[in-house]
Amino acid sequence: MPGGAGVRRPDHQTTTRPTAEPAAAGGPEDGAPEEGTLGAPEPGGPAALGPLGDGPPAEGGLPEGAPQEPLLPEGVLPERVLAEEPAPREAAPQRPASPQPAPRRAAPPRPADDVSAEAVLAPYLRGQAADFLRSLRLHREHSAPSDANGQGAEAAARALRRSARRISGSLHTFRSVLDPAWADHLRTELAWLSGTLAREHAYAGRLTRLLEALHQLSGAPLPAARGTKPAAKAPTTPDAQSRAVLGVGAARAGALLERQLTLVRTRAHSAALQALGSSRFHAVADAVALLASEVPLAPGTASRGAEAVLEPAERAEQRLIGAVAALPPDASAEPYNEAQDAAWHQARLLLRLHRYAHEVVLGAADPVLTGAGHALDLHRDAAEAASAAASAARTPRIAPATAYALGVLHADQRHEVEAARAVFRETWPYAAAMTAP
């Protein structure tokens, strides 16, 4: 089985990896607009990750707590809508043309055997705690009424979520090295905070994505057939009829999506403000402040060597490789296989945990996983956008043209999901794991 990039011992063989390129314009997960969506657990989310859920529920525009329905039940939209192949979008992730094999990499460095576990793990957690407190101070400064544009507060909140995710993920991976009761409690509280703060940003990004997709799907009219005279009326084709219906319904569909997602975004903003002023949040901030000066370790861990942190990091890597190997093969993929989304979301969370463990052990994220992580982020965004379009299509008493436009939008986002999966398979550096039985 192929090994990881950051926790492999020198006596293990290395694996040839293709150069990972980002799937689309944008940087890795920590620089992407959607970076702050790791947070509170979703109902029915992966139990293996405990409180490490992943951001807001994928129910789209419905208010929080509303009952969930099957995605696009039969009979709600015309069958031709779900079968229609939407026009390719410019923002779709592009596959690498012909990936060139990368040279064999030398075994990555590892902490010296005489370095204690505390010397490896404690500085990382203290550094992330310091970043958390610094981001919190900046958020309070930029949240004043004088900061009208709110960009400083948004950047500070993004940095706050970034630190909270890393602390929470490290507490999950290295629980055996830390005081377990303390680690479980702080991890749960940080997951709650990160998820609460991420919802507003996630809903805003989802609305922007859907409105841009609607504009691209219904923007330019189809050109006239060649050979027709300018004064003559071109015959109406089925494709032109579909485009005309889509143009009529796109404006109303966009207004409906904006109304629904703005509502849940406003509620998420209010929930974030209440969370930041609650006694629960102040208790979390106090716990992180203590972490910045002292890291509670398990009894007997302070004197243990680097193996105490290498073993949990390697387990995190193996869980990731196993999850990727268990993903459904391309042969069974269908455009509307929403049931398979959960396995891909689980792989995304495990990839994030592996990246954080790599940062703990070696001080930096594994660069060869940048492209794969970006593809999984695009997959998550497209899947949740498709769910939002389906939720809007289930709105009672909407016009047929509006339902048709939402159906085409749903189909477009599901094809974005398939494109992101293909890019992930091409950028995943451990090719043997994709073909494991």
Side-chain angles (χ1 to χ4, degrees):
M1 178 174 287
V7 295
R8 186 146 311 278
R9 298 183 177 89
D11 55 346
H12 286 194
Q13 295 181 357
T14 58
T15 305
T16 303
R17 301 170 176 171
T19 303
E21 299 180 359
E29 171 263 330
D30 290 320
E34 65 280 2
E35 67 158 1
T37 56
L38 181 65
E42 299 180 16
L49 298 183
L52 273 179
D54 194 17
E59 32 76 38
L62 293 180
E64 299 182 29
Q68 298 300 305
E69 303 178 22
L71 192 60
L72 283 179
E74 184 177 358
V76 173
L77 296 179
E79 294 182 0
R80 70 179 186 277
V81 173
L82 299 183
E84 179 172 343
E85 294 286 338
R89 296 176 53 203
E90 297 179 0
Q94 301 295 327
R95 303 185 184 186
S98 57
Q100 299 296 326
R104 296 181 65 89
R105 300 175 65 207
R110 52 166 283 173
D113 293 334
D114 57 348
V115 175
S116 66
E118 181 180 13
V120 177
L121 180 58
Y124 179 84
L125 289 177
R126 285 197 293 264
Q128 293 300 327
D131 290 343
F132 180 96
L133 297 174
R134 187 180 305 109
S135 301
L136 178 58
R137 177 178 55 82
L138 292 175
H139 186 272
R140 289 172 176 170
E141 292 177 355
H142 290 287
S143 297
S146 58
D147 189 3
N149 54 18
Q151 295 180 356
E154 181 179 353
R158 190 161 53 245
L160 191 68
R161 297 195 306 266
R162 178 183 183 275
S163 301
R165 287 197 314 272
R166 276 162 170 74
I167 298 173
S168 181
S170 300
L171 296 181
H172 173 83
T173 301
F174 301 100
R175 181 179 183 273
S176 60
V177 187
L178 302 163
D179 183 319
W182 168 84
D184 290 344
H185 175 73
L186 182 56
R187 181 184 63 180
T188 302
E189 296 302 289
L190 287 173
W192 160 77
L193 175 62
S194 178
T196 302
L197 297 180
R199 284 185 173 88
E200 179 185 2
H201 178 79
Y203 288 132
R206 196 173 306 165
L207 176 60
T208 300
R209 179 185 184 92
L210 288 170
L211 293 182
E212 289 179 353
L214 270 178
H215 176 72
Q216 294 180 4
L217 289 170
S218 62
L222 294 178
R226 292 185 178 181
T228 57
K229 298 180 180 180
K233 183 177 181 180
T236 303
T237 62
D239 184 60
Q241 291 178 347
S242 299
R243 181 61 62 86
V245 174
L246 180 60
V248 171
R252 294 182 179 180
L256 177 61
L257 288 169
E258 186 169 6
R259 183 165 61 251
Q260 291 185 345
L261 289 174
T262 300
L263 174 62
V264 293
R265 179 188 179 186
T266 302
R267 292 177 177 176
H269 179 73
S270 300
L273 292 179
Q274 292 176 1
L276 291 175
S278 65
S279 58
R280 184 179 182 181
F281 170 73
H282 289 292
V284 175
D286 292 340
V288 175
L290 293 176
L291 177 62
S293 59
E294 179 182 0
V295 178
L297 300 175
T301 302
S303 59
R304 294 180 60 187
E307 287 292 328
V309 293
L310 286 175
E311 292 175 358
E314 288 181 346
R315 286 195 298 268
E317 179 190 45
Q318 294 305 317
R319 286 196 300 268
L320 167 63
I321 294 176
V324 173
L327 290 175
D330 288 335
S332 65
E334 297 178 359
Y336 308 103
N337 52 357
E338 286 89 349
Q340 297 180 359
D341 290 349
W344 288 86
H345 296 335
Q346 175 80 353
R348 176 178 174 271
L349 289 176
L350 292 174
L351 175 59
R352 177 171 287 184
L353 289 177
H354 169 62
R355 291 180 59 246
Y356 298 162
H358 194 285
E359 292 179 2
V360 171
V361 175
L362 295 179
D366 190 350
V368 303
L369 293 175
T370 299
H374 188 69
L376 290 180
D377 288 341
L378 291 177
H379 175 276
R380 187 274 316 273
D381 292 344
E384 293 184 348
S387 179
S391 297
R394 290 192 290 265
T395 303
R397 298 183 298 276
I398 59 176
T402 306
Y404 179 82
L406 291 170
V408 173
L409 180 61
H410 173 267
D412 172 73
Q413 292 303 303
R414 290 309 304 179
H415 283 81
E416 291 281 319
V417 168
E418 294 303 313
R421 291 178 182 179
V423 171
F424 172 80
R425 294 183 184 278
E426 293 175 353
T427 55
W428 175 246
Y430 311 131
M434 303 294 294
T435 58

